[in-house]
Amino acid sequence: KSLLGAPRKLSEAIGVQFVGPTIMRYGSAEQKERYVKAIGKAEVVFCLGYSEPQAGSDLGAVQTRAVRAGDGYRIDGQKIFTTFAHCADFCWLLARTNPDAPKHKGLSLFIVDMKTPGITVRPLINVLGSHSFNEVYFDNALIPQKSLVGDENLGWQYLMTALAYERSFTSSPA
């Protein structure tokens, strides 16, 4: 057991609490097969690619871009306060796929392998000299089409579902 008697390490809770359930609801058959079982077995760790320096907690103001490139997408931008990015296998990434769409439209969710070339993780060291938060930079990071969760430009809807799962999750009693 870990923090507050939770049955899993905090770093695994992101997948269990809301990434897995959102994939079960909106993911492709391949994503369900690849990730859901691995999340349940605590074999993979996800970090959240939501917050950005200029957007803060206003997720509708996300500027990280995902542009179609060949058989996938090219990701460019920066995320901040990304918990566990330094030990995550995958990033649950919110990115803008249509820059001309209104603020809460034109966003998409992606599952991004953190070993993808073009991704740089920098620690944000706290006053105690340790860290769990990071800055994550995406510089021409090419990801396959199969990384897209659900349909392009419906990421806001999927994000609201994921956040509802997160907010409704209750830990098992110790």
Side-chain angles (χ1 to χ4, degrees):
K1 291 190 179 186
S2 64
L3 187 64
L4 303 176
R8 290 183 161 74
K9 291 187 256 175
L10 188 56
S11 61
E12 296 164 353
I14 292 169
V16 172
Q17 290 179 4
F18 51 97
V19 171
T22 306
I23 291 171
M24 288 170 54
R25 186 160 180 185
Y26 298 113
S28 67
E30 182 180 347
Q31 289 169 342
K32 291 172 187 174
E33 177 65 28
R34 180 172 181 196
Y35 300 109
V36 174
K37 194 179 296 183
I39 289 168
K41 291 180 171 183
E43 295 173 346
V44 295
V45 172
F46 280 81
C47 64
L48 299 180
Y50 292 168
S51 299
E52 296 185 358
Q54 303 304 314
S57 62
D58 181 3
L59 298 181
V62 161
Q63 293 302 307
T64 295
R65 296 281 309 275
V67 177
R68 285 186 179 265
D71 293 337
Y73 293 86
R74 185 184 72 243
I75 310 292
D76 288 288
Q78 178 187 0
K79 298 297 180 176
I80 195 162
F81 303 120
T82 307
T83 308
F84 304 120
H86 60 291
C87 61
D89 301 298
F90 300 97
C91 181
W92 184 244
L93 179 71
L94 181 67
R96 187 156 298 284
T97 43
N98 182 349
D100 299 322
K103 187 175 184 178
H104 296 97
K105 308 274 185 192
L107 296 167
S108 297
L109 269 177
F110 296 90
I111 299 170
V112 179
D113 187 325
M114 290 298 287
K115 292 183 182 100
T116 301
I119 297 176
T120 303
V121 177
R122 294 194 182 135
L124 295 172
I125 306 299
N126 66 23
V127 296
L128 300 175
S130 64
H131 85 287
S132 61
F133 295 121
N134 304 271
E135 294 176 293
V136 180
Y137 296 88
F138 298 88
D139 183 22
N140 287 314
L142 295 174
I143 61 171
Q145 171 68 34
K146 65 183 180 180
S147 300
L148 175 67
V149 177
D151 293 320
E152 189 175 281
N153 297 320
L154 293 181
W156 186 258
Q157 173 186 335
Y158 306 149
L159 176 66
M160 292 301 102
T161 300
L163 292 174
Y165 287 133
E166 178 185 13
R167 286 175 172 84
S168 66
F169 186 86
T170 56
S171 295
S172 300

